[in-house]
Amino acid sequence: TIRADAGTVTRDTVMVRLEGVALGVAWPALAGGELRLRSAGATRLDVRVTPDPDAPDEPVAPLLLPIAVVADDLRIARVAVQVRDEPENVFEDLRLTARLAGGDIGFSDLGARYAGSGLSAAGRFGTGEPFPLAADLTLAAPELAVTGTGRLSGSLGERSLAATLAVPEPVRVDGSARLLDARPALALRVAAPRVSRSLADGTTVVLAGHAAEATGRDDALAGALAPTN
């Protein structure tokens, strides 16, 4: 087992820092052109993206390695991702089974907790622009008694989502997002019967079929909400 207290890698405008790293490598797999991690873990992963507005607009090339990299069981206790000076997105208890080859990451099991909800996915992600992404998602939010499945597709900058949630009544959610633009945009459409859920603190959440469109930053959205048929 290879262990390291901490390490930082910086490439262009991206900084990645890992803490509490432990790697279990299957060395015989190297003979077949594959770096296989039987086990891999870290206590913390921080990713900081700070785009340079004065830098030339050059596309990011895919990560092409001479050998494939396979992670059989990767686990990270805490992952924090921050873009520019926006608030961090924090994921906990991340687990991953994946293979990196030909510039693409194929993941058969990706799971984490985010904002108190359990998320899991399987799909493929491209490491070069426009960073194509396709994944099948599942969601479990015990506090709201909500479960759901969906499909995420598009790219890192422009994504579309189609999902069905159970609350326990079926709720259909369709949307798109452009998150890397100078002015991020979000559009959502929700189709559902009237449902009512009571939270532990006594708050009641009521949802009916509505369509919503909003533009702006995620902390300052402006838009409209209207009933749908």
Side-chain angles (χ1 to χ4, degrees):
T1 300
I2 301 173
R3 299 184 183 275
D5 291 335
T8 302
V9 177
T10 301
R11 179 186 178 189
D12 298 329
T13 60
V14 180
M15 185 279 290
V16 177
R17 178 176 175 79
L18 278 166
E19 298 180 3
V21 179
L23 303 176
V25 182
W27 299 111
L30 288 173
E34 188 175 83
L35 174 59
R36 179 174 291 272
L37 305 176
R38 291 295 187 188
S39 63
T43 57
R44 182 181 179 118
L45 167 63
D46 291 312
V47 180
R48 299 288 182 269
V49 182
T50 310
D52 183 357
D54 299 323
D57 188 12
E58 298 180 357
V60 177
L63 181 60
L64 299 174
L65 302 179
I67 61 174
V69 179
V70 179
D72 290 336
D73 185 18
L74 169 64
R75 295 178 182 267
I76 303 177
R78 184 182 188 275
V79 179
V81 181
Q82 184 177 35
V83 180
R84 302 184 183 91
D85 57 353
E86 300 292 332
E88 287 185 339
N89 287 297
V90 178
F91 300 85
E92 297 177 317
D93 301 327
L94 182 140
R95 70 178 189 278
L96 174 67
T97 300
R99 185 175 193 270
L100 167 63
D104 287 343
I105 300 175
F107 48 96
S108 58
D109 180 29
L110 170 61
R113 294 191 60 79
Y114 178 75
S117 299
L119 305 171
S120 62
R124 182 169 296 275
F125 175 70
T127 61
E129 286 193 70
F131 303 107
L133 171 66
D136 294 308
L137 310 174
T138 60
L139 165 70
E143 182 181 354
L144 296 175
V146 174
T147 60
T149 59
R151 177 73 174 174
L152 185 67
S153 61
S155 64
L156 189 60
E158 185 167 355
R159 289 174 283 184
S160 62
L161 170 68
T164 300
L165 306 178
V167 293
E169 300 84 351
V171 177
R172 178 71 179 181
V173 180
D174 295 281
S176 62
R178 295 192 302 275
L179 302 180
L180 299 185
D181 291 359
R183 183 173 176 81
L186 170 70
L188 287 175
R189 181 180 180 85
V190 179
R194 180 180 176 85
V195 295
S196 176
R197 308 298 296 175
S198 296
L199 307 184
D201 61 2
T203 303
T204 299
V205 177
V206 178
L207 174 67
H210 282 77
E213 291 188 0
T215 59
R217 296 158 61 96
D218 58 2
D219 58 353
L221 295 176
L225 185 67
T228 62
N229 295 328

